[in-house]
């Protein structure tokens, strides 16, 4: 029961982390957590100092403005405090001017002239000082009704408590929000140990592709896997990876089950040795060209199942497999790997390129898969390359929302990244623009239901004629 509870807990925590990878979800969660806590803090301070409760409405709305749009026009801590102070000062000035013009008014009423002057002065001061803040208009009016405090006391309270809110926001934005990729995005913290099943004619290019992904991290390494085709063995589904290999070695010995039949000449052992020998040359090539550790593993069994298990046994967090299709759909091997717990990329080499400096990433929605695709594209493009992140819309009315979505997706990127919003079908856009790029990166549609994929097949299945290298990214489910 304890193991089951822990498994459920890990699954829920994993789902929460992926949910938080969507920037809008993270922002809404921060608003729900930090705004109430900050208002509770300033309320406690207010109770200790007997400040007017009328201070809190502008503080609450201003705090929400900060956290709801951390990169927006009004998300400046200095502007926030200065705007609140300017509004309070404008209200105080309006009260003085109105009293001089009209004489004192009853404490239970507010002069319309005072209210009009307060708004006028607030607009003029914030505009003139370039500290426009929506909550400034609230503080300007509330000074007029803060009968339990002198205007100067209200002004001091606005500055002091506003500074508390601004300090917490500045720390949250600099220490967490702007570093959210480091804390939340799984691929930026991992996916540096890459398993490459050596299958098909493009296995060498696929291995190099996986090596360049791994090389982006200091701890990166590549494990090359060769699966022997021997379906007669009943026990072949168990990967035979008992011998540990160091980063300088290229071959891992394989232990076969004791009940596996071999002929008198040791044909099975020779087959394993031949497979390991082929991998040795490729492993040495990767270590020499890319400069990262490279191991080799030889196993027997069902290729997809062995690859899934090998990734776990060799501590790999990313599988890069050659793209294979059958009747226009992914092969059983690739589908098995995509259904596994490990992040996976199916790579199709059409151009024979060995470097991918211009990468096009097409995203349909924000989320962990979109961040993974952008992260992989940045790794391949390297600092001097270019990455284009694109989404397609059906109507012009969707453009602003799409542009905002892409802007949030690329906020944490490090290199040269541009965003593009195209009013076109995804396949048409890719086919028209693929010639300008070395690689197109697209999602596997693994988060869509079976019915949805039946009605509208995944985009990559409709790009069979694309004369460009293609990478299909699938986020695994470790739970």
């Amino acid at each position: 029961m304890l193991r089951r509870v822990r498994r459920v807990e890990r699954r829920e925590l994993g789902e929460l982390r992926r949910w938080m990878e969507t920037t809008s979800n993270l922002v809404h969660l921060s608003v729900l957590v930090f705004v109430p806590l900050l208002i509770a803090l300033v309320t406690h301070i207010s109770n200790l100092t007997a400040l007017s409760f009328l201070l809190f409405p502008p503080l609450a709305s201003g705090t929400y403005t900060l956290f709801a749009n951390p990169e927006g026009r009004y998300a400046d801590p200095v502007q926030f405090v200065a705007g609140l102070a300017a509004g309070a000062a404008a209200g105080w000035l309006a009260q003085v001017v109105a009293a001089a013009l009209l004489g004192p008014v009853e404490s239970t009423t507010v002069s319309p002239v005072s209210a009009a002057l307060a708004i006028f002065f607030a607009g003029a001061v914030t505009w003139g000082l370039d500290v426009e803040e929506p909550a400034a208009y609230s503080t300007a009016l509330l000074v007029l009704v803060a009968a339990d405090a002198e205007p100067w006391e209200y002004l001091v309270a606005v500055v002091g408590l506003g500074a508390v809110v601004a300090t917490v926001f500045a720390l949250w934005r600099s220490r967490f929000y702007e570093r959210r990729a480091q804390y939340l995005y799984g691929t930026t913290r991992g996916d540096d140990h890459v398993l490459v099943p050596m299958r098909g004619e493009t296995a060498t290019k696929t291995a190099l592709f996986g090596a360049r992904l791994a090389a982006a991290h200091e701890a990166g390494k590549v494990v090359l896997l060769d699966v022997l085709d021997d379906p007669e063995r009943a026990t072949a589904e168990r990967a035979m990876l008992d011998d540990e290999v160091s980063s300088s070695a290229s071959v891992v010995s394989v232990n076969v089950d004791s009940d596996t039949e071999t002929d008198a000449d040791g044909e099975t052992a020779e087959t394993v040795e031949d497979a390991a020998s082929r991998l040795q040359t490729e492993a040495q090539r990767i270590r020499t060209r890319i400069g990262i550790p490279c191991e080799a593993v030889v196993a027997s069994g069902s290729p997809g199942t062995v690859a899934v298990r090998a990734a776990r046994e060799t501590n790999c967090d990313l599988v890069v497999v050659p793209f294979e299709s059958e009747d226009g759909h992914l092969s059983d091997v690739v589908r098995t790997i995509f259904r596994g717990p490990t992040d996976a990329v199916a790579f199709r080499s059409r151009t024979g390129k060995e470097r991918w400096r211009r990468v096009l990433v097409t995203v349909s929605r924000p989320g962990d898969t979109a961040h993974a695709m952008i992260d992989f594209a940045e790794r391949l493009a390297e600092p001097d390359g270019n990455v284009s992140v694109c989404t397609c819309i059906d109507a012009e009315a969707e453009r602003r929302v799409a542009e905002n979505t892409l802007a949030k997706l690329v906020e944490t990127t490090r290199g040269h990244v541009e965003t593009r919003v195209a009013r076109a079908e995804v396949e048409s856009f890719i086919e028209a623009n693929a010639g300008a790029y070395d690689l197109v990166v697209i999602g596997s549609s693994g988060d869509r239901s079976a019915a949805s994929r039946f009605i509208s097949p995944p985009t990559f299945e409709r790009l069979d004629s694309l004369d460009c290298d293609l990478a299909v990214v699938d986020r695994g489910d470790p739970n």
Side-chain angles (χ1 to χ4, degrees):
M1 285 296 297
L2 184 59
R3 283 197 299 269
R4 284 181 177 272
V5 170
R6 288 175 176 173
R7 204 156 45 234
V8 171
E9 182 180 350
R10 285 195 300 270
R11 182 173 64 251
E12 295 299 328
L13 288 175
E15 291 178 355
L16 175 62
R17 180 185 60 78
R18 290 198 172 186
W19 179 81
M20 290 174 62
E21 285 192 24
T22 302
T23 303
S24 59
N25 293 337
L26 175 64
V27 168
H28 287 136
L29 182 62
S30 298
V31 167
L32 290 177
V33 172
F34 285 98
V35 174
L37 290 178
L38 281 173
I39 295 303
L41 174 63
V42 297
T43 301
H44 179 66
I45 296 175
S46 173
N47 291 336
L48 294 177
T49 57
L51 295 175
S52 173
F53 183 80
L54 294 175
L55 169 66
F56 303 134
L59 269 182
S61 63
T63 305
Y64 173 83
T65 300
L66 289 175
F67 283 93
N69 191 5
E71 303 292 341
R73 174 183 177 184
Y74 300 110
D76 184 337
V78 174
Q79 177 176 304
F80 171 74
V81 177
L84 293 179
W92 184 7
L93 177 61
Q95 196 174 40
V96 172
V97 172
L101 294 177
L102 305 176
V105 296
E106 297 181 10
S107 59
T108 57
T109 62
V110 176
S111 168
V113 175
S114 298
L117 288 175
I119 295 299
F120 173 78
F121 289 150
V125 172
T126 55
W127 182 23
L129 298 177
D130 195 23
V131 291
E132 293 182 81
E133 168 64 38
Y137 293 88
S138 298
T139 57
L141 287 176
L142 291 175
V143 170
L144 306 180
V145 295
D148 55 343
E150 293 293 331
W152 68 268
E153 293 177 341
Y154 189 84
L155 175 60
V156 171
V158 163
V159 173
L161 298 183
V164 172
V165 171
T167 300
V168 173
F169 168 74
L171 291 174
W172 171 83
R173 186 173 65 177
S174 62
R175 301 296 178 85
F176 178 74
Y177 181 78
E178 293 179 349
R179 302 181 184 178
R180 61 190 184 278
Q182 174 184 348
Y183 302 128
L184 298 178
Y185 302 165
T187 58
T188 60
R189 295 181 290 106
D191 285 351
D192 47 11
H193 291 182
V194 181
L195 178 76
V196 182
M198 301 296 286
R199 297 175 52 83
E201 298 178 355
T202 62
T204 299
K205 300 298 182 184
T206 303
L208 190 60
F209 179 87
R212 294 203 182 278
L213 285 176
H217 290 177
E218 293 183 359
K221 77 169 184 178
V222 177
V223 177
L224 305 181
L225 172 67
D226 192 0
V227 181
L228 298 179
D229 185 12
D230 193 2
E232 298 297 326
R233 297 171 182 166
T235 59
E237 290 189 2
R238 295 198 303 270
M240 295 167 285
L241 309 170
D242 295 335
D243 293 336
E244 183 179 357
V245 62
S246 67
S247 61
S248 60
S250 298
V251 182
V252 176
S253 301
V254 178
N255 296 326
V256 297
D257 297 311
S258 58
D259 59 349
T260 300
E261 297 182 2
T262 41
D263 59 24
D265 297 328
E267 181 181 347
T268 300
E270 291 179 2
T271 303
V272 171
E273 184 178 354
D274 291 343
S277 178
R278 290 194 302 271
L279 293 185
Q280 184 176 18
T281 302
E282 186 61 34
Q284 181 61 35
R285 176 171 173 266
I286 288 176
R287 292 205 309 271
T288 302
R289 293 193 57 182
I290 309 301
I292 61 174
C294 185
E295 302 174 0
V297 171
V298 179
S300 63
S302 175
T305 304
V306 169
V308 171
R309 180 173 179 179
R312 181 176 67 252
E313 296 291 340
T314 58
N315 195 32
C316 288
D317 43 21
L318 177 65
V319 178
V320 177
V321 61
F323 185 95
E324 300 175 0
S325 62
E326 299 171 355
D327 300 325
H329 303 285
L330 288 178
S331 67
D332 290 338
V333 174
V334 179
R335 285 205 303 269
T336 300
I337 293 174
F338 276 7
R339 287 195 296 264
T342 310
D343 292 350
V345 177
F347 174 68
R348 185 176 71 191
S349 177
R350 283 282 175 83
T351 64
K353 292 181 182 294
E354 296 186 351
R355 300 186 76 91
W356 300 268
R357 296 297 182 85
R358 298 169 299 166
V359 185
L360 174 65
V361 180
T362 59
V363 299
S364 59
R365 62 183 66 85
D368 59 322
T369 300
H371 288 295
M373 292 191 294
I374 296 172
D375 177 51
F376 291 154
E378 280 200 289
R379 296 194 204 183
L380 295 168
E382 300 179 346
D384 56 342
N386 292 279
V387 176
S388 296
V389 182
C390 168
T391 191
C392 293
I393 58 176
D394 297 322
E396 197 63 29
E398 303 172 5
R399 182 173 298 276
R400 179 165 296 183
V401 174
E403 290 175 345
N404 185 54
T405 299
L406 293 184
K408 290 181 178 179
L409 281 175
V410 303
E411 277 178 353
T412 57
T413 57
R414 303 173 301 278
H416 303 291
V417 179
E418 67 169 355
T419 60
R420 301 179 62 178
V421 177
R423 185 178 176 184
E425 293 290 335
V426 177
E427 309 94 273
S428 301
F429 175 81
I430 294 176
E431 291 174 354
N433 292 271
Y437 297 94
D438 300 325
L439 175 72
V440 173
V441 181
I442 197 167
S444 67
S445 299
D447 54 350
R448 291 170 53 192
S449 66
S452 174
R453 291 195 299 271
F454 176 78
I455 295 173
S456 177
T459 302
F460 64 83
E461 292 185 356
R462 293 172 279 172
L463 296 174
D464 186 63
S465 61
L466 188 68
D467 189 19
C468 179
D469 291 352
L470 178 70
V472 182
V473 177
D474 181 85
R475 293 303 306 274
D477 183 5
N479 303 302

